[in-house]
Amino acid sequence: MCRWAAYIGEEVFLEDIVTAPCHSLIAQSHCAQEAKSPTNGDGFGLAWYGERPEPGLYRDILPAWSDPNLKSLCRQIKSGLFLAHVRASTGGATSRANCHPFVSGRWSFMHNGQISGFEKIRRRLEASINDDLYEQRQGTTDSELFFLLMLEEGLDTDPQGAVARATSRVVEAARSAGVDPQLKLTAAFSDGQNLFAVRYATDGHAPTLYTRDGETGRCIVSEPFDREGQSWQAVPPSSFVSMTRDDMTVRPFQPSLAQLALAG
C-alpha cells in the first residue's frame, strides 16, 4: 500500500510536510509503520496549487529517498494546497504515468488502496467511461481509472456523491463478472479550493487516515509524519472528509445500498 500527505492553509514550503519532519514521506517511503508493506519505492509524485487554476505536477519512478530533485523542489516551492504521494504498486508497471497524483483540469487525486480482481473487470470499467474522459487515461492503474469514474459521476458538483457512485460502479462491475467485490479506498483529492478525502473499504478494513490542525493549516495523511508534540486525529472508517482553510467536516460515507443491491 502507498503513503501520502495533503495540506491546505497558509502558504508553506512543501518540505515542511513532505521531506523535513522526522517521519516524513521520505522516511515512510522506506520505513512506513502503518502500511501492509514498509517500503514504498515504486515512484512518487507532487501536485501543488499556485497562481493558476490547474495544479503543478511532478512525478518520477525513482524511490523518493533517492531523488535529490524532490528535496530541492520541496525546499523551494511554497503552496497553500498540495498533495504528495509515495507509491507501493499493487498493480501496474512502475512508470511516470502510473505514479500519483493524477490530474484532470483543476482536479488532482491520489489513492492508497486497491480494487481486488481489477484485471478481470478493467475492460468492463474502461468501456463504461465516455470517450472524452477515456482519452485522458495515460496509465494502467485501478487508481487512475477510479479517478476518471469519479469525474464522470459528477465530481465537479457533488464530490461525495461522485465517490459513492464510482464505488457502486466498481462493485456492480465485479459482481457482473462473478468477482467478489473488494475495494479499499483511502484517497485525497482537490479542486484547488477545497481538499477532500475518503476512508472506506467494502470489507470494513480501510487503510488508515489521520487529520491534524496546525498553526498554519490542516493536514490529512495516511500516516502521521511527526509523532512528537502533535495532535493527530484518526478518521473513522466509512468517512468522507471536507476541508477548507477555515473549516473541516467529517461525514459518514456509505455507497447507496439500493445501488449496490442492483448488482446482487
Side-chain angles (χ1 to χ4, degrees):
M1 295 293 182
C2 308
R3 302 283 85 182
W4 56 253
Y7 169 86
I8 185 170
E10 299 176 15
E11 284 195 352
V12 297
F13 286 107
L14 271 59
E15 72 171 0
D16 293 349
I17 308 297
V18 180
T19 62
C22 61
H23 192 56
S24 69
L25 280 186
I26 299 292
Q28 292 176 35
S29 67
H30 57 75
C31 191
Q33 297 180 2
E34 298 191 33
K36 184 180 296 185
S37 169
T39 304
N40 299 272
D42 297 321
F44 64 86
L46 302 169
W48 69 96
Y49 293 87
E51 298 291 327
R52 303 182 186 275
E54 71 277 4
L57 182 64
Y58 177 63
R59 300 182 294 179
D60 210 336
I61 60 173
L62 290 174
W65 66 77
S66 67
D67 189 336
N69 293 321
L70 174 62
K71 293 183 179 179
S72 180
L73 286 172
C74 289
R75 183 165 177 77
Q76 297 296 331
I77 295 173
K78 294 184 76 172
S79 174
L81 177 51
F82 56 87
L83 290 71
H85 186 279
V86 292
R87 182 173 183 243
S89 174
T90 57
T94 301
S95 68
R96 281 194 181 93
N98 284 339
C99 290
H100 309 220
F102 304 101
V103 167
S104 175
R106 71 179 191 275
W107 285 98
S108 56
F109 171 88
M110 61 186 180
H111 177 217
N112 173 32
Q114 68 182 122
I115 300 173
S116 296
F118 179 62
E119 66 282 354
K120 296 181 179 179
I121 63 173
R122 173 182 167 183
R123 181 179 177 186
R124 186 186 303 262
L125 287 172
E126 287 183 336
S128 74
I129 295 175
N130 70 58
D131 290 344
D132 288 342
L133 281 173
Y134 186 76
E135 287 176 1
Q136 296 184 34
R137 184 148 165 80
Q138 299 179 6
T140 59
T141 65
D142 53 353
S143 300
E144 182 189 26
L145 183 56
F146 192 87
F147 177 41
L148 296 177
L149 290 172
M150 289 166 52
L151 288 165
E152 188 166 68
E153 290 293 343
L155 185 59
D156 279 336
T157 57
D158 180 16
Q160 182 169 351
V163 182
R165 290 186 290 271
T167 299
S168 295
R169 283 174 67 170
V170 170
V171 171
E172 290 168 10
R175 289 181 173 169
S176 296
V179 177
D180 183 27
Q182 293 287 330
L183 170 66
K184 292 186 183 298
L185 179 67
T186 297
F189 49 102
S190 178
D191 60 359
Q193 298 296 322
N194 307 281
L195 180 60
F196 305 99
V198 60
R199 184 186 181 203
Y200 176 77
T202 51
D203 63 4
H205 299 290
T208 55
L209 188 63
Y210 296 87
T211 64
R212 190 201 76 187
D213 283 353
E215 293 182 2
T216 61
R218 296 181 169 84
C219 294
I220 188 159
V221 301
S222 54
E223 183 172 317
F225 55 71
D226 186 349
R227 297 178 184 276
E228 300 296 331
Q230 302 290 354
S231 178
W232 294 99
Q233 301 295 321
V235 175
S238 299
S239 293
F240 187 88
V241 183
S242 300
M243 286 184 171
T244 68
R245 289 169 173 80
D246 301 318
D247 194 18
M248 178 179 73
T249 60
V250 180
R251 304 184 186 93
F253 177 82
Q254 186 65 47
S256 169
L257 296 178
Q259 283 183 292
L260 295 181
L262 293 175

